Amino acid sequence: GMPASAWLQTVSAAELAWVIYTCGHSLDEMLALRVATGILQWQQQHGPFSSTHQFAHTLEDLMPNFSYEYPRLSLPQIVFAAIRIFLNQEMEQLDSVLDGAFERLELFGRCVIITFNKWEPVAVRRFLRDHEEPSAALLGGTSTERLVELYPHLGSDKLYSVQRVKRPLRPSPEEVSANGRSRSAMLHVLEKIPRRWPVASTPPVPRGASSGQRAPRGSLAAL
């Protein structure tokens, strides 16, 4: 694929900030935009980055007090990981894994997912929303077209739906004390169950179309 140094020459500050915020770890949107702007300003003044050491040193100079606010985090590691996740299409890979796992599961089979990065629980929740069915109470007074907008699964021909078995589990204080890297971990248990409602006649809404919060797959849409 495209090297990160070459990719950085093709993006705007808003696009790079979207990647850092969406694929990064615990950074707010304003901080992600500041970091992205600083990276591109340095690149404009000095040319393309030639090494990871140079890139890391630039990030440390941009935010010298970063460790005061985030004592357990490293800004270079966050930005490196965000760019890697995006360029390697790890979001799309997780979506494909979940789709494939539930196609192969037997009915009432369960899938256990452990997430660590900020974007991963979001992907799990999105998969769940895409495979949920409405309650009987909602069916009564809502048009078919609106139902398919709210529950895209109704417009698919899949014979199963997906439900969350229990609230996501987090590590205990004892586990975090013994293994600090488990701090951000979450364990999700999803179950494949028989579909209750027939296929709706209205075509399903494309994934992400209703929320407008996620950049199109394979591209970097502006915020």
Side-chain angles (χ1 to χ4, degrees):
M2 179 184 294
S5 58
W7 175 76
L8 283 171
Q9 299 174 63
T10 70
V11 296
S12 69
E15 291 168 338
L16 179 55
W18 183 90
V19 171
I20 294 172
Y21 174 72
T22 304
C23 306
H25 186 285
S26 301
L27 298 188
D28 59 68
E29 293 181 78
M30 181 58 71
L31 186 56
L33 185 57
R34 291 175 184 174
V35 171
T37 300
I39 290 171
L40 297 188
Q41 283 183 352
W42 189 98
Q43 182 176 254
Q44 186 176 22
Q45 295 169 2
H46 302 280
F49 290 96
S50 58
S51 68
T52 55
H53 176 77
Q54 182 187 58
F55 190 58
H57 184 70
T58 300
L59 289 170
E60 290 168 350
D61 286 345
L62 284 175
M63 299 283 173
N65 296 327
F66 180 82
S67 62
Y68 296 162
E69 187 171 356
Y70 299 95
R72 296 187 180 89
L73 301 178
S74 163
L75 183 60
Q77 289 181 1
I78 290 171
V79 178
F80 282 142
I83 294 174
R84 185 206 73 227
I85 287 165
F86 181 80
L87 292 182
N88 290 346
Q89 298 184 322
E90 293 181 24
M91 291 182 172
E92 288 78 0
Q93 291 181 41
L94 178 55
D95 288 344
S96 296
V97 167
L98 290 173
D99 284 332
F102 275 85
E103 286 297 324
R104 290 163 176 78
L105 270 179
E106 298 288 342
L107 286 176
F108 303 106
R110 294 180 176 182
C111 180
V112 177
I113 308 109
I114 300 177
T115 60
F116 292 93
N117 294 306
K118 180 178 69 176
W119 63 270
E120 293 167 343
V122 176
V124 173
R125 286 194 294 269
R126 186 176 64 248
F127 177 82
L128 184 60
R129 298 292 173 264
D130 285 348
H131 292 81
E132 284 180 324
E133 293 187 276
S135 65
L138 189 60
L139 284 175
T142 309
S143 68
T144 301
E145 182 177 351
R146 183 59 175 158
L147 278 172
V148 173
E149 290 177 356
L150 296 173
Y151 294 87
H153 184 59
L154 290 179
S156 78
D157 59 359
K158 293 181 179 178
L159 300 178
Y160 64 88
S161 58
V162 178
Q163 67 178 7
R164 191 185 288 277
V165 175
K166 61 193 308 181
R167 293 177 59 184
L169 298 179
R170 294 181 177 273
S172 65
E174 293 77 17
E175 184 175 356
V176 172
S177 178
N179 178 15
R181 291 193 296 178
S182 70
R183 186 180 309 275
S184 63
M186 297 174 65
L187 186 145
H188 311 260
V189 183
L190 306 183
E191 184 178 26
K192 180 176 181 176
I193 58 176
R195 179 173 181 150
R196 295 177 296 165
W197 308 117
V199 178
S201 58
T202 305
V205 177
R207 177 178 289 181
S210 60
S211 66
Q213 297 298 309
R214 189 164 187 256
R217 294 179 177 278
S219 68
L220 274 174
L223 291 171

